[in-house]
Amino acid sequence: MFSLSSEAKVGLFVLVGLIILGYMSVQVGKQTLGLKKGYTLEVFFDNAAGLDRDASVQIAGVEVGRVESIQLQAGKALVRLRITPGVKLEHDAIAAIKTHGILGEKYVELHPGTRGAAFLGPGEQIFRTERQTDIDRMLNQLSLIADDVRGVTSSLNRVLAGQAGEEAITSILTNTKDLTRNLNHVIVSNEAALHAALENTRQLTGNLNRVVTQNDEKVGQVMDTLKSASVEMEKTFATLKEITGGINRGEGTLGQLVKDKGAAEKLNQTLASLQEVTQKINEGRGSIGKLVNDDETVRNLNEGLTGLNRYVNKAEQFRTFLSYRGEYLFDKSNAKSYLDLRIQPKEDKFYIVGVVSDPKGRRTTKDVTSLGVTTRTEEWDRDGLLFNAQIGKRYKDLVLRGGLLESTGGIGIDYLTLNDKLKLSFEAFGFGNDRRAHLKAGAEYRLFRHLYLSAGWDDFVSDQDNRSIYGGFAIRFEDDDLKYMLTTTPIPK
Amino acid sequence: MNRFSGALDRLGRAVLAAVEEMGKIILLFVSVLAWMFRPPFKLRNIFKQMEFVGVKSIFVVVLTGTFTGMVMALQGYHGFRMFSAESLVGGTVALGMTRELGPVLTSLMVTARAGSAMAAELGTMRVTEQIDALYVMAANPVKHLIVPRVIAGVLMVPLLTVVSDFTGILGGYFVGVHILGINSGIFIKNITRLVELNDIYNGLVKAACFGLILSLIGCYKGFNTYGGAEGVGRATTEAVVLASISILISDYFLTAIMF
Amino acid sequence: MIKLVDLHKSFGRQKVLDGLDLEIEKGKTTVIIGRSGGGKSVLLKHMIGLLRPEQGQILIDGTDITKLKDRALNEIRKKFGMLFQEAALFDSMTVAENVAFPLREHTTMKEKEIRETVADRLRSVGLTGVEEKMPSELSGGMRKRVGLARAIALRPQIVLFDEPTTGLDPVMTEAINRLIIDTQKNLNITCVVISHDVRSIFEIGHRIAMLYEGKIIENGTPEELKASRNPVIVQFLAGSIEGPIRIM
Ligand SMILES: Nc1ncnc2c1ncn2[C@@H]1O[C@H](COP(=O)(O)OP(=O)(O)OP(=O)(O)O)[C@@H](O)[C@H]1O
Ligand SMILES: [Mg+2]
């Protein structure tokens, strides 16, 4: 037999070992190797709790460096970042400490700053930082917001409750009522003209339409109509002008309102104070203002709520399952596949939607009458998918379900036993046409956590020689199993 | 009172014996160092020992590494699931393997396989006067017998640890990705994100220390065997026990120093 | 050549050598006899520095080896060859490698020379074609002869034989005795032989020393020993149960 000397064996082993070591080192060291060459930046955070050395530094979710050191300096956390060469940050860049998910680890998020500003050089400091979000802070903010809302409403209350305020409001309301009445009157008195204008417009569009569609040559007539329409419109405008002139001159109630100094003043004042409030809000003063104006707050709130939501969701009973079933029909020598999504809003209630691929395909029948004889042709659509849409309810060990089974109406009964490990089921569907219903009986046994084995008798009363013993397997995942992907990937900002 | 002082006496003796033994092992190490760099170098002997310690241990190391990684993934998964942090399984397996379990399990396996064999072999040589024969032929047994074994231990255990780390991570990957359904990209991403070059290299430094410890203790126990076949058996057992304990204890201190 | 002065050695409470004096003449064969377990092997190991006495001197060509450091002791040892009672072959090496070991250690011979020398030494102990066998594949007698070949591989000035013929058939015993006599004569070396075989003792020994109760009680030519009236020697040579040597 071919045999190696110990030197050769040892040499080979050393070689393989070094290759593996090299491979692992390259895989692991990729970022680190690139980073050694990068440059450092300094940031002072008020609070760097939870941030570790070598934590990730990211821009827009892309890692661009690592935290090199964290020190205490003048009561603040001096965090030194090592940034990959080639990544440039402007002087007004912003640094923030963020969290992956709600319980994940901390990392430093950078916003590069405005374009065109000078770049930060090695060793320089990022001056702008964002406070980090945490649940305490968020709740704190929420209570501040509530306080502000109360303040706003109470001050509004004060404005409205006073004697002068009441009078002003009453007169405003009276004037408004008059104003609308007059406007109404104007409109009513000019109704005929308006109506004509509208009628003309309608005719115009109708004719235009005809011109376009039928290439009518009655352009001249159209032009006439147009002309008369414009004349009418001119009249309408003239009337409108008259009305506004009247208002200007202080005729009518609306005119009086506008001319009446006292009332106008009150209105003005009210509007001014309203404006002040909104301006304050706009300028971001007060907590509510901050809340509205500060993107960070909004984001923080959103983040927090998303995170909380997820937690709450998890506790809920709402569950979804995804399953694949494959069944081999021994007598037919072909296989059926089922892909089902099962949504279970409550423990004892569920919906199933899914598709079935049946190599036999879907049967469609067509009656053709020719020469007084009706012939029925059957067609099998082999590529066609069949659909499942069922609603089900569970009573202890018994499950009743019904709906669309393989694209036909049907019902199913499942009996679960052995701690739900074994499921005996009976299905009946495909009623209502000229053939016997499709009956199916089978059992499914849970072998491992996600793997099931199944066997049974398909279409066993078939008059089409379609009956077959089947055997197969199913894979069933609860959506929860995949959920971590959502929970640990950073929340999109 | 008498019994008490007797116990105290025995305790004192045991401590003294342990200290004395440690001193002897350190002296042996010093003489190994002295002889290691004195030519001629018995390359054939070294390669033979490297084959024995290294190549022939690959199988057990691969086996233990793989299953350790697998079980870590499984356990880690159930733990992390409580915090919805299943994606950390990859990184945890990789960190655990490279920092601790790779070096420690490998050296324990090598202790059981090769450390015991060293003790048995040298012990047999001692009781059948082969070591005396070396002395008579003016050949230094430390140079001839112990140096190659220690070199093989120091070089091969780190290399086996690399294999163990790698197969452990593969095992963890298999369980994590193919059985527990963790996304493979995230699994690997977390490994490269959490594991540093230093984790791997410090693990290997540890492994080299363990290799030194196990080969030195195996040789020491074998070399100082007395009392025939029974003595060889005793030496072998003692070597495995002492080496294993020393590895675990020194692991703590090495970890404290390095990480 | 070798002079032992007032040697004392004990293992625990057991006193094995008790003020032993012995001089071994250069270029002669000295046979040491004594009862089993009497300390003959222990005595031999003292001569080569494997054991250190509690008291006394071991002078090799005038140098006291009891006080020597490793390195100097090794220089002395290079003059020696030794056959152990159980041969003490390296069982991780083939027969050829065993015999070649001292050659590789202490000479700069080429591989070819080594191979030839090994074959020659093996031939002289009556072995051929066993070069590639492992010691565990040999019989006890064959092992002993390989040990002998290894002991004389370097043609040392002094060879210590611990029972070279025990366990061999009469023909082979005779052949080994011849070998010892011839080597001793041809190379003019000093031999120390431990033996129980009375016939061999008188055949190869120039001098015979009797070790009894930790001391040399008689040291003389074979003729002197045969004529001795010492009851211990009379009993030992006659091999009788009656006498001062008790079997316990
Ligand atoms: N390393 C040792 N430790 C303890 N006792 C020893 C040791 N070596 C020898 N002895 C004891 O010393 C005594 C002498 O042993 P030795 O081997 O010299 O006997 P011997 O004369 O060679 O006997 P034999 O002819 O059977 O070989 C024995 O009683 C033995 O028990
Ligand atoms: Mg003896």
Side-chain angles (χ1 to χ4, degrees):
Chain A
M1 207 196 90
F2 173 75
S3 73
L4 289 169
S5 68
S6 12
E7 283 87 344
K9 282 187 205 161
V10 171
L12 210 63
F13 175 46
V14 170
L15 195 70
V16 171
L18 290 182
I19 288 172
I20 295 176
L21 179 63
Y23 172 75
M24 292 200 301
S25 304
V26 168
Q27 287 300 317
V28 166
K30 247 190 249 166
Q31 303 113 322
T32 331
L33 283 179
L35 274 175
K36 285 273 140 63
K37 284 179 265 147
Y39 62 99
T40 55
L41 292 177
E42 294 181 351
V43 198
F44 281 98
F45 285 110
D46 292 340
N47 181 5
L51 191 67
D52 280 328
R53 242 194 70 200
D54 282 333
S56 180
V57 176
Q58 304 187 345
I59 295 176
V62 180
E63 183 168 289
V64 295
R66 295 287 181 97
V67 171
E68 195 170 76
S69 66
I70 301 170
Q71 294 161 357
L72 186 67
Q73 203 170 87
K76 288 190 165 197
L78 168 60
V79 176
R80 208 165 269 124
L81 312 174
R82 185 164 281 278
I83 307 292
T84 322
V87 175
K88 296 230 157 67
L89 289 164
E90 285 83 359
H91 266 279
D92 56 348
I94 304 170
I97 296 174
K98 295 277 163 98
T99 311
H100 282 290
I102 202 157
L103 283 177
E105 64 193 80
K106 298 272 198 297
Y107 67 97
V108 176
E109 169 91 27
L110 299 177
H111 300 279
T114 47
R115 234 185 243 183
F119 290 124
L120 282 165
E124 289 195 86
Q125 191 186 338
I126 298 175
F127 287 101
R128 296 177 62 190
T129 57
E130 269 178 20
R131 299 279 297 280
Q132 87 194 76
T133 340
D134 49 42
I135 291 183
D136 283 349
R137 238 173 77 79
M138 202 177 73
L139 291 178
N140 230 355
Q141 222 151 27
L142 277 177
S143 78
L144 282 179
I145 291 165
D147 282 350
D148 282 343
V149 169
R150 203 170 53 219
V152 170
T153 49
S154 71
S155 66
L156 269 176
N157 200 27
R158 228 177 301 123
V159 170
L160 298 177
Q163 179 75 26
E166 201 170 346
E167 270 172 23
I169 295 264
T170 319
S171 72
I172 287 169
L173 287 176
T174 324
N175 285 339
T176 311
K177 198 164 74 188
D178 289 349
L179 171 69
T180 48
R181 193 188 299 136
N182 284 337
L183 263 178
N184 202 22
H185 182 71
V186 169
I187 290 165
V188 167
S189 58
N190 287 293
E191 199 173 10
L194 276 171
H195 193 78
L198 285 171
E199 180 58 23
N200 284 337
T201 315
R202 197 179 62 77
Q203 275 176 20
L204 167 71
T205 51
N207 287 341
L208 268 175
N209 197 27
R210 222 174 307 137
V211 170
V212 175
T213 50
Q214 295 177 1
N215 212 2
D216 204 339
E217 286 188 20
K218 292 176 181 169
V219 179
Q221 198 183 336
V222 172
M223 290 311 284
D224 282 350
T225 322
L226 206 62
K227 199 188 272 171
S228 69
S230 61
V231 169
E232 290 292 337
M233 270 170 78
E234 215 166 328
K235 274 188 206 157
T236 313
F237 284 129
T239 321
L240 276 172
K241 209 184 206 165
E242 251 176 55
I243 295 167
T244 50
I247 290 172
N248 254 350
R249 266 173 270 122
E251 292 165 20
T253 331
L254 187 62
Q256 265 166 21
L257 177 67
V258 176
K259 288 289 163 192
D260 179 29
K261 281 270 157 71
E265 187 109 302
K266 275 175 196 152
L267 188 63
N268 258 351
Q269 275 168 12
T270 315
L271 288 175
S273 61
L274 263 176
Q275 196 179 354
E276 213 175 311
V277 172
T278 51
Q279 195 165 345
K280 267 187 187 167
I281 290 174
N282 250 352
E283 284 166 8
R285 278 192 270 156
S287 289
I288 200 164
K290 258 190 201 153
L291 178 67
V292 172
N293 280 309
D294 191 351
D295 283 358
E296 187 206 358
T297 321
V298 175
R299 209 165 37 234
N300 290 348
L301 199 61
N302 266 345
E303 249 180 69
L305 290 177
T306 320
L308 281 175
N309 209 13
R310 230 184 349 254
Y311 268 72
V312 174
N313 257 343
K314 209 178 266 180
E316 279 175 6
Q317 288 187 328
F318 192 95
R319 300 168 79 182
T320 52
F321 301 87
L322 197 62
S323 73
Y324 168 83
R325 263 189 300 149
E327 288 174 0
Y328 185 77
L329 302 164
F330 290 101
D331 301 333
K332 304 269 126 218
S333 296
N334 56 29
K336 262 169 129 171
S337 300
Y338 301 77
L339 193 65
D340 285 335
L341 175 68
R342 176 178 163 137
I343 300 164
Q344 189 173 307
K346 273 197 272 172
E347 193 67 64
D348 60 344
K349 190 177 175 190
F350 62 86
Y351 305 95
I352 295 175
V353 290
V355 290
V356 186
S357 97
D358 184 355
K360 184 171 60 118
R362 180 160 56 151
R363 191 185 68 141
T364 48
T365 53
K366 209 185 268 175
D367 292 340
V368 180
T369 314
S370 69
L371 303 171
V373 183
T374 306
T375 49
R376 170 167 283 193
T377 56
E378 278 191 356
E379 273 180 23
W380 294 94
D381 179 5
R382 286 187 186 281
D383 300 323
L385 284 173
L386 307 175
F387 296 95
N388 262 338
Q390 299 173 37
I391 176 167
K393 192 153 172 63
R394 180 171 179 166
Y395 307 94
K396 288 192 175 160
D397 287 341
L398 203 65
V399 176
L400 296 181
R401 57 194 159 85
L404 215 54
L405 277 81
E406 305 195 8
S407 296
T408 66
I411 54 153
I413 301 170
D414 300 321
Y415 179 72
L416 290 143
T417 178
L418 298 179
N419 272 337
D420 287 6
K421 268 190 147 178
L422 182 65
K423 183 171 87 176
L424 304 172
S425 51
F426 172 78
E427 287 178 352
F429 52 95
F431 304 100
N433 43 31
D434 55 321
R435 46 168 60 206
R436 286 198 200 154
H438 189 135
L439 300 187
K440 179 176 171 183
E444 191 179 81
Y445 182 73
R446 189 173 76 202
L447 204 57
F448 303 118
R449 224 158 80 78
H450 301 300
L451 186 66
Y452 300 75
L453 287 185
S454 58
W457 200 8
D458 189 36
D459 206 1
F460 55 84
V461 294
S462 172
D463 51 4
Q464 305 285 312
D465 199 20
N466 195 33
R467 59 179 69 87
S468 172
I469 299 289
Y470 73 86
F473 71 98
I475 302 168
R476 188 160 299 148
F477 283 98
E478 182 163 6
D479 186 37
D480 204 36
D481 292 338
L482 308 165
K483 191 149 47 188
Y484 68 90
M485 271 199 258
L486 299 171
T487 51
T488 49
T489 39
I491 296 164
K493 300 277 149 53
Chain B
M1 194 60 215
N2 207 0
R3 194 188 283 171
F4 177 70
S5 69
L8 212 62
D9 185 46
R10 245 173 291 136
L11 181 71
R13 264 171 222 271
V15 169
L16 259 178
V19 170
E20 189 186 343
E21 185 144 63
M22 201 161 103
K24 281 181 179 166
I25 292 172
I26 289 169
L27 282 181
L28 179 64
F29 177 50
V30 170
S31 77
V32 164
L33 279 183
W35 282 102
M36 191 179 289
F37 301 104
R38 214 178 288 179
F41 304 108
K42 301 281 167 182
L43 284 183
R44 250 212 81 79
N45 276 354
I46 296 175
F47 273 109
K48 252 175 134 172
Q49 289 304 323
M50 278 163 72
E51 184 192 2
F52 178 71
V53 175
V55 178
K56 298 207 166 141
S57 302
I58 294 176
F59 181 69
V60 288
V61 165
V62 165
L63 214 63
T64 45
T66 311
F67 279 94
T68 307
M70 286 168 74
V71 81
M72 273 181 82
L74 206 59
Q75 293 287 19
Y77 178 80
H78 291 306
F80 283 127
R81 212 154 76 118
M82 291 190 248
F83 308 103
S84 292
E86 294 94 327
S87 64
L88 289 176
V89 167
T92 314
V93 170
L95 264 189
M97 285 310 294
T98 52
R99 280 187 172 189
E100 283 301 330
L101 293 175
V104 170
L105 285 178
T106 302
S107 22
L108 290 182
M109 291 319 288
V110 175
T111 302
R113 246 203 94 259
S116 63
M118 287 176 190
E121 217 176 320
L122 295 200
T124 307
M125 290 185 80
R126 168 62 85 189
V127 301
T128 57
E129 299 180 320
Q130 291 177 50
I131 288 178
D132 285 341
L134 276 174
Y135 277 122
V136 165
M137 287 186 266
N140 187 292
V142 172
K143 174 149 192 79
H144 277 268
L145 302 175
I146 302 182
V147 167
R149 286 173 168 79
V150 170
I151 290 179
V154 172
L155 293 183
M156 289 296 109
V157 175
L159 215 58
L160 288 167
T161 301
V162 170
V163 172
S164 170
D165 289 354
F166 188 65
T167 54
I169 292 170
L170 283 188
Y173 180 88
F174 175 75
V175 170
V177 173
H178 291 287
I179 295 181
L180 300 174
I182 298 170
N183 178 287
S184 69
I186 290 176
F187 190 94
I188 290 169
K189 172 79 194 150
N190 263 307
I191 294 177
T192 52
R193 199 164 59 87
L194 289 179
V195 179
E196 301 278 317
L197 274 183
N198 274 346
D199 293 325
I200 299 179
Y201 292 151
N202 288 347
L204 297 188
V205 170
K206 268 189 187 178
C209 293
F210 299 157
L212 175 69
I213 288 172
L214 74 92
S215 54
L216 212 52
I217 289 178
C219 290
Y220 170 80
K221 284 291 178 186
F223 198 70
N224 293 296
T225 302
Y226 57 92
E230 193 196 340
V232 174
R234 186 179 50 228
T236 310
T237 315
E238 283 177 8
V240 171
V241 171
L242 184 61
S244 306
I245 291 173
S246 309
I247 284 170
L248 293 175
I249 292 176
S250 62
D251 181 43
Y252 174 80
F253 290 104
L254 288 172
T255 307
I257 293 169
M258 289 194 295
F259 295 108
Chain C
M1 182 95 231
I2 304 179
K3 195 164 181 230
L4 308 175
V5 184
D6 191 28
L7 280 191
H8 289 263
K9 177 73 180 178
S10 41
F11 295 107
R13 291 203 199 112
Q14 182 191 9
K15 198 126 184 77
V16 179
L17 302 181
D18 187 11
L20 179 140
D21 290 295
L22 177 64
E23 192 158 348
I24 291 179
E25 288 173 48
K26 195 180 170 85
K28 294 270 169 63
T29 300
T30 304
V31 178
I32 296 169
I33 56 174
R35 58 175 301 182
S36 193
K40 304 182 295 296
S41 298
V42 169
L43 176 58
L44 218 57
K45 285 179 186 171
H46 274 91
M47 291 182 194
I48 201 165
L50 281 177
L51 293 174
R52 302 219 172 199
E54 279 118 34
Q55 193 189 318
Q57 287 182 312
I58 302 163
L59 301 164
I60 310 285
D61 289 334
T63 323
D64 184 2
I65 64 164
T66 57
K67 304 284 181 311
L68 285 185
K69 292 256 178 259
D70 278 356
R71 199 175 291 206
L73 189 56
N74 271 345
E75 286 309 310
I76 304 274
R77 278 172 179 162
K78 285 181 189 167
K79 298 177 183 172
F80 279 85
M82 179 169 177
L83 167 65
F84 284 83
Q85 191 167 352
E86 312 288 345
L89 299 181
F90 302 128
D91 41 29
S92 59
M93 298 180 188
T94 63
V95 166
E97 283 168 345
N98 263 288
V99 179
F101 188 88
L103 304 175
R104 293 218 169 95
E105 249 337 85
H106 298 298
T107 69
T108 51
M109 282 189 196
K110 297 270 176 313
E111 268 308 302
K112 189 158 161 278
E113 279 177 276
I114 289 179
R115 225 176 306 127
E116 282 163 5
T117 315
V118 167
D120 174 65
R121 298 293 188 276
L122 285 174
R123 218 175 305 118
S124 66
V125 296
L127 289 172
T128 45
V130 294
E131 277 92 339
E132 295 314 313
K133 279 194 188 288
M134 300 305 283
S136 56
E137 298 166 338
L138 301 178
S139 75
M142 287 164 91
R143 272 207 284 274
K144 186 145 274 181
R145 281 183 280 159
V146 175
L148 195 55
R150 187 175 70 181
I152 59 173
L154 273 178
R155 300 241 176 272
Q157 300 168 27
I158 309 163
V159 187
L160 311 178
F161 300 93
D162 197 343
E163 305 187 18
T165 56
T166 309
L168 302 186
D169 65 80
V171 178
M172 193 48 73
T173 302
E174 186 55 31
I176 296 293
N177 285 343
R178 286 266 130 239
L179 176 75
I180 294 172
I181 292 165
D182 289 350
T183 339
Q184 195 273 325
K185 220 177 259 163
N186 293 344
L187 306 174
N188 193 28
I189 58 177
T190 310
C191 290
V192 181
V193 182
I194 293 171
S195 186
H196 296 297
D197 181 21
V198 176
R199 210 165 65 100
S200 301
I201 294 166
F202 292 112
E203 194 179 337
I204 60 176
H206 297 118
R207 297 196 70 85
I208 297 171
M210 174 79 194
L211 173 64
Y212 183 65
E213 302 204 316
K215 294 186 183 68
I216 298 294
I217 53 162
E218 190 80 57
N219 183 3
T221 61
E223 285 68 33
E224 284 168 0
L225 227 75
K226 271 180 195 161
S228 171
R229 288 296 159 89
N230 189 324
V232 177
I233 293 168
V234 172
Q235 188 200 353
F236 190 84
L237 292 181
S240 77
I241 297 175
E242 306 294 318
I245 306 176
R246 244 156 294 150
I247 300 142
M248 275 171 280

